[in-house]
């Protein structure tokens, strides 16, 4: 039976969706089990992180800063950063850790990365929505002025995280040195993750360099989506799009290369 | 039909390189039972992994014109932290088979009972073998890749395997890597011997076994 290219693509797509679905369920079961709240734990960690940091900031910085609620500012900053840090750290050695899954030919190494990333993203977004909803009830979180922009910012932030994961996963199989440097690198990247400050608070001379970071651009979009006209933001939507595309492509090429030499136990 | 053309496999670690297989040409026709012989480290498992698509050849090509099982062996295919049932569910999902059917078959074939609710890492190698065979037989493949594991079962399991694999599925192809010349003589109709990275096929199993024993 000969299939046309389009049919082959459709069959392949259908298989990959099924595999990623199965991998995500497996990830949830192995990480969180079926006891007590089960898979809801995926949002527990970002949630706890967001709540505690927000409380700390509230004590250290007072109720508002530059006209924004400090609690909301901390929450909107920290939860995406948790996605970034987890997304990156969970992609290290992901192929060798999961090598027994590669016994099944339909499981591709990209599925491993995607499944983990999607679980992290779902956790981060659930925590974000949950916390925002609770804080809104207490008047600590504004009703988003532009939901579309907020979601677009989130998606771009996530896309860039995924692009990084696509590069780091194969690199970590090629070099063990990288593994040692990763935690400190993600830590150093925090200032350019858009977490602590808005571009508007930064001296104009430095601001242009600050805006090179795709994370900052995406974060500015998210915050504009929440606070709307009450704040000034600087962003270029093409920066995270291009950065994600270019880095993602490099990542895909590296994955392909690493698969050829991957030793499976 | 499975066609391997000019397969080479080389492992590299740092600057060290090891050639495991050199220019392997092999065809497996439907229904054929091929024995894979060779000393420890000769490259039997490597060849099975290449044919199963678990690892990629350094050069050369593999064409699969029939469905090929994952390599049934001591390692791989399972996730130790998941229970037998969860593994069955995972496999049912990725091979798109109804879980209820797979579950019923696994329960009947493995006779593991309540152990299926325990993580696979707590299983003995014989129990793992039962689960691996049950799952791959439940999925149904045209060609089964079996790496040693057939030897670890007890009498009852061996009898079941024999009925399910060699009697009920006599039309299926099989590649069996084993050191047991007895099982090979009994169940294979063709043999291949790997020696010094080179694979040679023999139409007479007895001839290949004699050469293997002389190694």
């Amino acid at each position: 039976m000969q299939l046309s290219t389009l049919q082959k693509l459709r069959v392949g797509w259908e298989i990959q969706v099924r595999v990623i679905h199965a991998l995500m369920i497996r990830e949830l079961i192995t990480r969180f089990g079926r006891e007590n709240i089960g898979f809801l734990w995926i949002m527990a960690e970002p949630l706890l992180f967001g709540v505690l940091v927000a409380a700390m900031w509230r004590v250290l910085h007072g109720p508002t800063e530059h006209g924004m609620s400090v609690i909301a500012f901390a929450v909107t900053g920290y939860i995406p950063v948790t996605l970034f840090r987890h997304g990156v750290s969970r992609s290290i050695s992901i192929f060798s850790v999961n090598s027994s899954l590669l016994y099944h030919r339909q499981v591709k190494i990209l599925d491993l990365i995607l499944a983990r990333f999607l679980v992290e993203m779902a956790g981060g977004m659930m925590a974000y929505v949950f916390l925002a909803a609770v804080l809104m009830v207490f008047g600590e979180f504004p009703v988003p002025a532009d939901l579309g922009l907020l979601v677009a910012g989130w998606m771009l932030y996530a896309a860039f995280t995924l692009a990084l994961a696509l590069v780091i996963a194969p690199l970590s199989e090629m070099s063990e040195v990288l593994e040692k440097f990763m935690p400190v690198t993600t830590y150093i990247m925090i200032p350019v993750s858009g977490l602590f400050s808005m571009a508007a608070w930064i001296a104009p001379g430095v601001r242009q360099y600050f805006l090179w970071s795709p994370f900052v651009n995406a974060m500015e979009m998210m915050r504009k989506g929440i606070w709307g006209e009450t704040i000034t933001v600087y962003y270029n939507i093409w920066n995270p799009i291009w950065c994600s595309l270019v880095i993602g492509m490099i990542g895909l090429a590296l994955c392909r290369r690493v698969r050829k030499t991957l030793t499976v136990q | 039909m499975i066609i391997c053309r000019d397969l080479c496999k080389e492992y590299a670690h740092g600057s060290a390189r090891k050639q495991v297989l050199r220019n392997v040409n092999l065809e497996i026709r439907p229904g054929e039972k091929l024995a894979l012989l060779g000393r420890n480290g000769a490259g039997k498992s490597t060849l099975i992994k290449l044919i199963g698509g678990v690892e990629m050849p350094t050069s050369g090509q593999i064409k699969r014109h029939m469905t090929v099982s994952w390599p049934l062996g001591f390692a791989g295919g399972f996730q130790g932290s998941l229970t037998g049932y969860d593994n069955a569910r995972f496999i049912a999902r990725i091979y798109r088979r109804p879980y209820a059917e797979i579950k019923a078959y696994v329960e009947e074939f493995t006779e593991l009972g309540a152990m299926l609710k325990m993580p696979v890492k707590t299983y003995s190698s014989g129990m793992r073998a039962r689960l691996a065979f049950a799952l791959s037989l439940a999925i149904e493949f045209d060609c089964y890749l079996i790496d040693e594991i057939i030897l670890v079962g007890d009498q009852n399991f061996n009898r079941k395997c024999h009925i399910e694999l060699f009697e009920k599925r006599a039309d299926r192809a099989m590649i069996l890597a084993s050191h047991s010349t007895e099982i090979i003589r009994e169940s294979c109709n063709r043999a291949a011997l790997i020696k010094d990275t080179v694979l040679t096929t023999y139409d007479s199993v007895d001839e290949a076994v004699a050469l293997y024993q002389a190694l």
Side-chain angles (χ1 to χ4, degrees):
Chain A
M1 189 175 60
Q2 284 295 330
L3 293 175
S4 72
T5 317
L6 198 67
Q7 278 171 313
K8 270 188 203 157
L9 263 177
R10 194 184 310 144
V11 171
W13 167 253
E14 195 240 332
I15 294 173
Q16 257 37 72
V17 168
R18 203 165 65 225
V19 167
I20 291 172
H21 172 233
L23 286 171
M24 284 175 72
I25 293 175
R26 164 208 170 246
E27 177 88 1
L28 291 176
I29 296 173
T30 39
R31 264 172 67 191
F32 309 109
R34 290 200 179 82
E35 309 294 314
N36 52 64
I37 62 167
F39 80 95
L40 282 178
W41 278 113
I42 55 167
M43 64 176 232
E45 209 201 331
L47 195 63
L48 210 61
F49 202 63
V51 167
L52 292 179
V53 171
M56 201 168 78
W57 276 41
R58 175 70 181 77
V59 173
L60 293 176
H61 297 247
T64 58
E65 208 163 54
H66 300 265
M68 287 184 272
S69 149
V70 161
I71 291 183
F73 186 78
V75 165
T76 54
Y78 264 99
I79 293 182
V81 166
T82 324
L83 171 67
F84 154 56
R85 295 194 65 183
H86 285 185
V88 165
S89 68
R90 293 220 140 249
S91 68
I92 292 172
S93 304
I94 186 168
F95 304 148
S96 37
V97 170
N98 288 307
S99 69
S100 73
L101 293 167
L102 296 174
Y103 267 68
H104 306 287
R105 252 187 329 282
Q106 60 274 59
V107 179
K108 308 286 179 210
I109 54 173
L110 282 183
D111 301 335
L112 301 176
I113 299 177
L114 274 173
R116 274 204 173 167
F117 170 76
L118 288 174
V119 166
E120 290 300 334
M121 190 170 99
M125 287 194 170
M126 281 165 68
Y128 197 93
V129 171
F130 181 81
L131 211 49
V134 170
L135 289 173
M136 261 184 237
V137 171
F138 292 100
E140 278 294 338
F141 200 98
V143 175
D146 184 345
L147 201 59
L149 194 60
L150 171 61
V151 172
W154 243 114
M155 288 301 160
L156 288 178
Y157 201 100
F160 189 65
T161 304
L162 175 62
L164 287 179
L166 284 173
V167 168
I168 288 159
L171 283 182
S172 68
E173 302 290 336
M174 290 171 168
S175 142
E176 281 162 18
V177 182
L178 180 107
E179 208 177 308
K180 314 280 183 289
F181 280 100
M182 242 15 254
V184 66
T185 313
T186 54
Y187 193 75
I188 286 173
M189 278 177 78
I190 286 184
V192 292
S193 66
L195 160 64
F196 296 121
S197 48
M198 303 288 301
W201 308 351
I202 287 175
V206 186
R207 187 185 299 146
Q208 52 171 326
Y209 300 112
F210 189 59
L211 285 172
W212 282 358
S213 159
F215 283 133
V216 168
N217 285 279
M219 189 71 89
E220 295 272 306
M221 286 171 71
M222 283 191 252
R223 286 185 171 141
K224 179 77 178 175
I226 294 169
W227 280 280
E229 295 307 315
T230 62
I231 56 168
T232 315
V233 296
Y234 298 86
Y235 66 82
N236 174 4
I237 187 167
W238 293 105
N239 171 304
I241 292 177
W242 278 116
C243 287
S244 306
L245 281 177
V246 170
I247 293 181
M249 286 299 169
I250 295 172
L252 290 178
L254 285 171
C255 283
R256 206 182 146 83
R257 210 188 123 129
V258 143
R259 181 65 180 101
K260 286 214 87 171
T261 53
L262 205 61
T263 320
V264 179
Q265 242 295 312
Chain B
M1 186 108 124
I2 301 170
I3 304 164
C4 302
R5 216 168 273 147
D6 294 324
L7 283 190
C8 291
K9 181 66 182 175
E10 202 176 78
Y11 287 112
H13 187 81
S15 57
R17 298 186 155 270
K18 169 141 173 57
Q19 179 106 34
V20 183
L21 295 170
R22 200 187 305 266
N23 296 325
V24 169
N25 284 291
L26 183 66
E27 281 185 11
I28 295 114
R29 286 175 282 272
E32 202 164 66
K33 312 269 192 277
L34 179 82
L36 211 49
L37 293 162
R39 298 185 58 181
N40 289 335
K44 299 186 297 296
S45 295
T46 301
L47 181 58
I48 283 192
K49 277 186 204 165
L50 293 181
I51 294 174
V54 177
E55 287 184 3
M56 301 295 151
T58 309
S59 64
Q61 232 188 0
I62 301 169
K63 285 197 172 148
R64 302 182 193 88
H65 298 294
M66 50 187 180
T67 59
V68 182
S69 79
W70 67 90
L72 306 176
F74 292 111
F78 289 127
Q79 297 145 69
S81 55
L82 291 186
T83 67
Y85 280 127
D86 281 336
N87 270 293
R89 217 176 262 127
F90 179 78
I91 283 174
R93 273 193 198 108
I94 63 172
Y95 287 91
R96 199 171 49 173
R97 293 289 191 284
Y99 172 59
E101 239 171 63
I102 306 268
K103 182 176 178 240
Y105 189 87
V106 166
E107 282 170 349
E108 192 230 296
F109 186 88
T110 62
E111 297 173 27
L112 286 174
M115 268 312 277
L116 286 171
K117 289 183 193 144
M118 299 283 282
V120 167
K121 63 185 169 201
T122 63
Y123 289 17
S124 71
S125 45
M127 289 158 77
R128 269 166 180 265
R130 279 171 180 262
L131 186 59
F133 271 99
L135 286 170
S136 62
L137 291 171
I139 305 283
E140 300 278 358
F141 292 99
D142 297 331
C143 178
Y144 284 88
L145 305 176
I146 301 166
D147 190 1
E148 305 274 5
I149 200 166
I150 204 160
L151 299 173
V152 299
D154 53 27
Q155 291 260 310
N156 154 301
F157 171 69
N158 284 344
R159 198 178 55 243
K160 271 187 159 177
C161 263
H162 196 87
I163 297 170
E164 292 287 331
L165 204 56
F166 298 107
E167 289 172 22
K168 286 193 194 166
R169 291 174 184 74
D171 57 327
R172 310 301 165 84
M174 192 174 86
I175 300 178
L176 172 65
S178 178
H179 293 288
S180 160
T181 49
E182 189 190 328
I183 289 186
I184 281 173
R185 276 211 185 90
E186 217 170 84
S187 45
C188 297
N189 48 29
R190 217 172 135 223
L193 180 64
I194 307 178
K195 194 190 160 200
D196 301 328
T197 74
V198 176
L199 176 134
T200 323
T201 53
Y202 299 88
D203 286 325
S204 150
V205 175
D206 289 326
E207 188 191 347
V209 167
L211 283 169
Y212 164 71
Q213 280 170 333
L215 283 181

